[in-house]
Each structure stands twice: as C-alpha cells, then as structure tokens.
Amino acid sequence: MADAAKTDGFYTNLSCGALGVSPGFPAAVDLAVEFGFGAVDPDVGYLAGQSPAQVEQLRARLAEQGVRWGNAGVPVNINADAATFATQLAGLEEFAARLAALGVDRAGTWIRPMSDSLTYRRNFARHVERIGLVDEILAAAGVRFGLEYVGPKTFWSTERYPFVHTLAETRELLAAIGSSNVGVILDTFHWFTSAESADDIHTLTADQIVAVDLNDAPTGRERDEQIDGQRLLPGASGVIDVAAFVGALRDIGYAGPIKVEPFNAELRSLPAHEAVARTAESLKAVL
C-alpha cells in the first residue's frame, strides 16, 4: 500500500478521470482509500442518483478514512455562444446547491487561451463578466471557483488572437473580477510552458489558490514544443522542476488539494488499479 496522503498542509487528491481511467465511482473511492489519498474528486452525476442514506453512508466512510472531497468541474462553458451560456448558467444554481449538500467546496474550469474572433481586450471583458456571473452563484453556495490557465505555445498560438495563458495574466483577470472567492488552479505543466519560476508562485497568497495539478513533461522537446495532451507523471523525467514548484507552495502555506493530470497514453492503457498505484508512488516521491 502506498501512502500518497502524507504532505505538509496540502493533501493529495485522486481523480481517475484526470488519469484517463474509468473504474466507476465506488471503485475510485476504494482506490483512494487503498492508496492513501487525502481526497477523491466527486462524481456529482453518480451521487445525484444515490439516496440520501447512501450518500451519508459514503461520506461517513470517507470521513472515517480521512478522505475528503477534491474539486468538481463547473458545467458552464465560459466560451459558449450567448444562448448556450445563458442556459448553462440557469442550471448552475441547482448544481451548486448539490455541491453544497455534498460538502464539496471547490470547483473549477479552464481558460481557453486563444480565439479566432475575439481580440484580447474583448475576450478579457467577456471573461470578467461571465466569470463574475458564475462566481456569484457558486459563492452563494459556499463553493470556491478556480480558473486554470493553459500555457503551451503549441495551443495558444493556433488561433488569431492569443488570450490569457500565464499566471501574471490570470492574476490580472482575477483582479478585474474582484471577488475573493475566485482563485487560480495551478498546474506544473502550464507553469513550466509559461517559463515561470518559484518567484511567480510567491506572488500569490495561499488563499488565492483553489487547487493544484502536478505533472512532468517529455524529454527531447524545447519548452515551446511541449504539447498539452502529452505529459508524464510528476518526477518521471525531471524536465519540470517539481521540487521548486512544491517548495514554493509550502513557502506560501498552500493547504488545498493536489492531483495528477498527466494526459498520458501509456497510463490510460493500464488497468485502473495499476494506474492509480503508479500515480500514488509518483506523488509519494515528489512530495
């Protein structure tokens, strides 16, 4: 049994979806317990189909094992057309209430780092407005809202107008939104591909970080050649200075969830038990 949960203030979070394996939510909970994770991402759809008694039984089991909820996804596409966005926003209050009832207090989405039709300034204004609307609903339910910037140049340079793809730009976006409930989701891969360092993390306070992802990058590629959908388990190659990243998180006192999201074909091909075992070992090694 690998104990992946022992950290300083933060706690490890198992997300089978982020690993690319689908054992089903009950099995994911079993794996989180077996391998010592401190949290597991909630499957809100699955939990909605369970009776209140079944949900409480599950929560009691997690509490007994010292496992809490990780962060959920937000079912609203910030970049959708106006009608779609309005429809998704209308359903968000019910979703947020479900998160609150389950005790899930963190949720997030990613920032699409380019557009073929919107200039940077117009896209920025739209994101400020739409993120503010989403946040108003999440904040009322007691759910923090995290935004993940996407760093690879091979992605943000593929359309006419590049958009937010660095921590500095994300901080500008957060400042414009003006809500203490909205924070950043940090990912080592995006941090590395944006040529950032521990100093950049030191510009944040712990409460500005909603969640963290740890990954490594393949060898044989320059920084600007890295591809978002091709990553490695943390510490696998040493291309990314995960130790400096984690050290900076410790310096500022981060105390939230840390998960692995490697988008790795080899890992996806493994049985779920082996994939989670390897993930737990990688976290144990770098933390």
Side-chain angles (χ1 to χ4, degrees), residues 24-238:
F25 187 65
V29 171
D30 291 341
L31 290 167
V33 171
E34 177 181 355
F35 289 102
F37 283 83
V40 61
D41 269 3
D43 184 333
V44 181
Y46 170 84
L47 292 168
Q50 304 298 295
S51 70
Q54 288 173 315
V55 172
E56 283 308 307
Q57 184 179 23
L58 172 61
R59 292 184 65 181
R61 181 191 174 202
L62 292 175
E64 182 181 352
Q65 297 292 333
V67 179
R68 64 190 93 183
W69 293 128
N71 47 302
V74 175
V76 177
N77 180 3
I78 302 298
N79 294 283
D81 62 83
T84 301
F85 177 77
T87 299
Q88 293 176 343
L89 190 69
L92 184 61
E93 187 171 356
E94 180 181 351
F95 181 83
R98 191 174 299 161
L99 293 184
L102 290 169
V104 178
D105 61 1
R106 298 168 192 251
T109 191
W110 60 288
I111 303 168
R112 193 171 189 273
M114 70 287 198
S115 173
D116 261 337
S117 58
L118 298 176
T119 64
Y120 189 99
R121 290 184 64 180
R122 186 175 175 188
N123 207 0
F124 191 92
R126 184 167 79 164
H127 273 70
V128 170
E129 179 181 11
R130 290 187 171 189
I131 290 168
L133 292 171
V134 172
D135 176 59
E136 183 176 344
I137 294 170
L138 293 178
V143 180
R144 296 222 46 214
F145 187 19
L147 303 174
E148 181 177 11
Y149 64 96
V150 177
K153 186 176 182 180
T154 53
F155 190 37
W156 59 256
S157 64
T158 57
E159 293 185 5
R160 187 175 182 184
Y161 303 111
F163 189 53
V164 170
H165 57 271
T166 66
L167 179 56
E169 291 170 307
T170 304
R171 292 183 65 221
E172 291 175 348
L173 182 61
L174 295 177
I177 294 164
S179 168
S180 61
N181 191 63
V182 185
V184 63
I185 296 175
L186 283 179
D187 186 310
T188 49
F189 193 81
H190 303 314
W191 173 78
F192 168 73
T193 54
S194 295
E196 292 162 350
S197 69
D199 289 341
D200 294 284
I201 297 175
H202 286 135
T203 66
L204 298 169
T205 60
D207 59 4
Q208 289 178 305
I209 305 175
V210 175
V212 168
D213 300 343
L214 293 185
N215 305 288
D216 211 335
T219 59
R221 291 177 182 165
E222 297 296 326
R223 190 190 308 270
D224 287 345
E225 296 173 337
Q226 295 289 344
I227 299 170
D228 190 36
Q230 298 176 15
R231 312 181 192 175
L232 301 174
L233 290 172
S237 67

Side-chain angles (χ1 to χ4, degrees), residues 10 12 29-32 82 92 183 207 232 242 264 270 278-279:
F10 41 77
T12 58
V29 171
D30 291 341
L31 290 167
L92 184 61
D207 59 4
L232 301 174
V242 177
N264 183 271
L270 298 176
R278 291 193 185 187
T279 300

